[in-house]
């Protein structure tokens, strides 16, 4: 268990907080040197596998930046849409969620009690868009009076039991800039939320990680360099787990596209045999061939396929895949082809079985009760913008892995 240092408090006007969005303070009772925030009330609902270590099994995972604060204001009334997506992919062994308000984390804990255990780590702890209009109490030196309605961060869920918490500090807190190159008044703190897990129906050693890397694209590339360093740090920290025989699954918002000529951020994850260009990593990406749909119920892959680059024979795995962003102009090809969320399986993966798909969660009605996966079927608000649950897509994938 790694111990994170106590974060300095940031004091700014509330109006600045609201404009800046996410913000960080010192909520020390969620730090790695304290007990993990997990759900321990559990009754196994899946039949345990009789297979021993070394057996190949299908491992299924989902990742979703649900925009729980900015898009959903910390509310829980629409989370049943996410629940349905998870349940439709059953059994989803691992659930990685990002930008989850603490109130929403508690909803998932309660909803899935007895099936999943969940853990939370904060990205920011004084974010008023999660439900509290004033988060100043979270900015003092006393973590015991923090208002949890101001917390937002990453969540990891396991269909089974969570083991030891490994909260990996990724750095990148220094000199955080927005798209215009201006300093963020309320910077984030970046930690990958990882746990060793015992999964129902999956024998052997498995580790899951939910991650959110640094955002924004300033003209000088400061943020991109920080993301590259964060990804390299995470990949390096996971080497020991892979060498120990664990199957490692990493899902989250990397804020980086897969194509190697558009940046080096993901070089540390993609293996050398990933076309084109390869990498120096030990992972395969689930949605890697552009045309694999896990169950055939999602959007037409040809509609979403990224064209640069495409995965063609004889390559079996590529740096490619479907868009994971839901843009304001999703029918504009120049705007929608952006894959920044990724689901990585470590090299224990059998590459022929890799499959993944990203599913936009548009609302088909103004009441937000019906989910559509295609923008042409989505409803629009008074300003002509598509109604959506998040600006990211729900991404699910699987791979056959050999567990030790």
């Amino acid at each position: 268990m790694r111990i994170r240092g106590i974060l300095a408090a940031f004091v700014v006007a509330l109006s600045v907080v609201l404009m800046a969005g996410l913000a960080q303070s010192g909520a020390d009772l969620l730090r790695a040197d304290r007990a993990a925030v997990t759900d321990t009330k559990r009754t196994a609902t899946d039949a345990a596998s009789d297979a021993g270590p070394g057996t190949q099994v299908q491992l299924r995972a989902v990742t979703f930046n649900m925009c729980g604060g900015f898009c959903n204001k910390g509310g829980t009334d629409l989370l049943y849409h996410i629940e349905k997506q998870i349940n439709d992919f059953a059994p989803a062994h691992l659930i990685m969620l990002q930008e989850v308000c603490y109130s929403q984390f508690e909803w998932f804990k309660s909803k899935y009690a007895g099936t999943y255990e969940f853990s939370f780590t904060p990205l920011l702890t004084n974010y008023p868009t999660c439900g509290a209009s004033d988060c100043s109490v979270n900015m003092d030196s006393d973590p015991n009076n923090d208002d949890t309605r101001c917390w937002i961060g990453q969540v990891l869920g396991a269909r089974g039991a969570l083991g030891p918490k490994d909260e990996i500090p990724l750095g990148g807190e220094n000199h955080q800039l927005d798209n215009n190159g201006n300093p963020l008044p309320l910077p984030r703190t970046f930690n990958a939320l990882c746990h060793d897990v015992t999964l129902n129906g999956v024998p052997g050693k498995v580790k899951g990680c939910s991650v959110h890397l640094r955002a924004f694209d300033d003209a000088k590339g400061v943020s991109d360099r920080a993301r590259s360093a964060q990804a390299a740090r995470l990949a390096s920290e996971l080497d020991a787990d892979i060498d120990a025989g664990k199957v490692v699954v990493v899902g989250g918002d990397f804020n980086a596209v897969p194509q190697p000529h558009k940046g080096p951020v993901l070089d540390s994850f993609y293996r050398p045999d990933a076309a084109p260009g390869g990498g120096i990593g030990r992972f395969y990406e689930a949605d890697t061939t552009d045309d694999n749909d896990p169950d055939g119920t999602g959007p037409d892959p040809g509609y979403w396929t990224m064209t640069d680059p495409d995965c063609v024979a004889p390559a079996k795995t590529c740096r490619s895949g479907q868009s994971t962003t839901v843009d304001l102009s999703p029918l504009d090809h120049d705007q929608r082809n952006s894959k920044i969320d990724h689901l990585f399986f470590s090299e224990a993966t059998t590459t022929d079985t890799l499959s993944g798909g990203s599913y936009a969660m548009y609302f088909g009605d103004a009441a937000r009760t019906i989910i559509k996966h295609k923008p042409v079927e989505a409803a629009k608000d008074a300003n002509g913008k598509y109604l959506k649950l998040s600006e990211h897509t729900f991404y699910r994938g699987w791979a056959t892995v050999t567990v030790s």
Side-chain angles (χ1 to χ4, degrees), residues 56-393:
Q56 287 190 346
V57 296
Q58 187 183 86
L59 186 57
R60 300 161 74 90
V62 304
T63 184
F64 183 39
N65 181 330
M66 54 183 275
C67 193
F70 180 74
C71 300
N72 296 291
K73 307 299 185 291
T76 60
D77 57 315
L78 298 178
L79 297 187
Y80 71 93
H81 291 300
I82 303 175
E83 177 193 9
K84 182 179 186 304
Q85 295 297 315
I86 294 172
N87 294 346
D88 284 349
F89 196 53
H93 299 106
L94 292 168
I95 299 172
M96 293 87 159
L97 303 174
Q98 301 82 44
E99 293 190 24
V100 185
C101 294
Y102 195 80
S103 56
Q104 296 162 338
F105 159 66
E106 291 185 312
W107 185 93
F108 282 107
K109 280 205 309 177
S110 175
K111 176 63 64 173
Y112 284 107
T115 305
Y116 287 89
E117 289 187 357
F118 286 90
S119 179
F120 175 93
T121 192
L123 180 72
L124 311 156
T125 55
N126 56 348
Y127 180 41
T129 311
C130 271
S133 60
D134 184 358
C135 293
S136 58
V137 67
N138 288 18
M139 300 172 72
D140 62 23
S141 59
D142 183 4
N144 296 311
N145 62 4
D146 275 7
D147 188 341
T148 60
R149 294 176 300 166
C150 297
W151 292 349
I152 191 169
Q154 293 82 257
V155 164
L156 177 69
R159 192 179 184 91
L162 293 171
K165 185 178 187 180
D166 188 10
E167 200 167 33
I168 302 175
L170 302 179
E173 285 85 6
N174 188 42
H175 197 44
Q176 294 184 47
L177 305 176
D178 63 18
N179 289 334
N180 297 317
N182 300 316
L184 293 179
L186 300 165
R188 295 90 169 129
T189 294
F190 301 98
N191 295 280
L193 175 61
C194 302
H195 279 266
D196 291 328
V197 296
T198 300
L199 300 175
N200 295 334
V202 180
K205 303 174 183 177
V206 180
K207 184 168 190 167
C209 297
S210 181
V211 63
H212 192 302
L213 298 190
R214 186 163 153 169
F216 301 107
D217 293 297
D218 59 282
K220 295 182 178 179
V222 173
S223 298
D224 202 43
R225 284 189 291 276
R227 276 191 294 275
S228 299
Q230 288 177 324
R233 173 70 181 271
L234 177 57
S236 178
E237 287 289 309
L238 295 173
D239 274 335
D241 294 289
I242 297 174
D243 285 342
K246 299 176 188 176
V247 176
V248 180
V249 185
V250 182
D253 181 1
F254 283 74
N255 279 305
V257 295
Q259 298 95 321
H261 65 282
K262 292 186 178 180
V265 175
L266 297 176
D267 288 354
S268 295
F269 272 83
Y270 282 106
R271 279 178 49 87
D273 53 344
I280 58 172
R282 306 178 68 176
F283 290 84
Y284 294 105
E285 223 271 330
D287 181 23
T288 185
T289 63
D290 270 358
D291 57 6
N292 282 343
D293 185 350
D295 56 13
T297 63
D300 175 10
Y303 184 86
W304 285 95
T305 294
M306 298 176 70
T307 58
D308 183 17
D310 201 6
C311 197
V312 297
K316 290 186 176 181
T317 177
C318 296
R319 299 180 63 150
S320 188
Q322 300 171 13
S323 172
T324 67
T325 58
V326 177
D327 299 287
L328 296 180
S329 302
L331 297 181
D332 184 338
H333 286 230
D334 293 333
Q335 295 293 322
R336 65 178 172 82
N337 281 338
S338 183
K339 180 181 180 180
I340 61 174
D341 303 89
H342 300 269
L343 184 56
F344 287 105
F345 292 84
S346 62
E347 57 191 3
T349 301
T350 303
T351 58
D352 289 339
T353 69
L354 278 168
S355 187
S358 71
Y359 304 89
M361 296 180 71
Y362 293 101
F363 292 113
D365 60 332
R368 301 176 185 242
T369 62
I370 302 171
I371 289 290
K372 297 291 185 179
H373 291 302
K374 297 181 179 180
V376 292
E377 300 172 347
K380 297 180 180 181
D381 64 16
N383 297 318
K385 295 181 179 179
Y386 292 94
L387 296 177
K388 53 191 179 293
L389 183 64
S390 171
E391 74 269 54
H392 293 254
T393 62

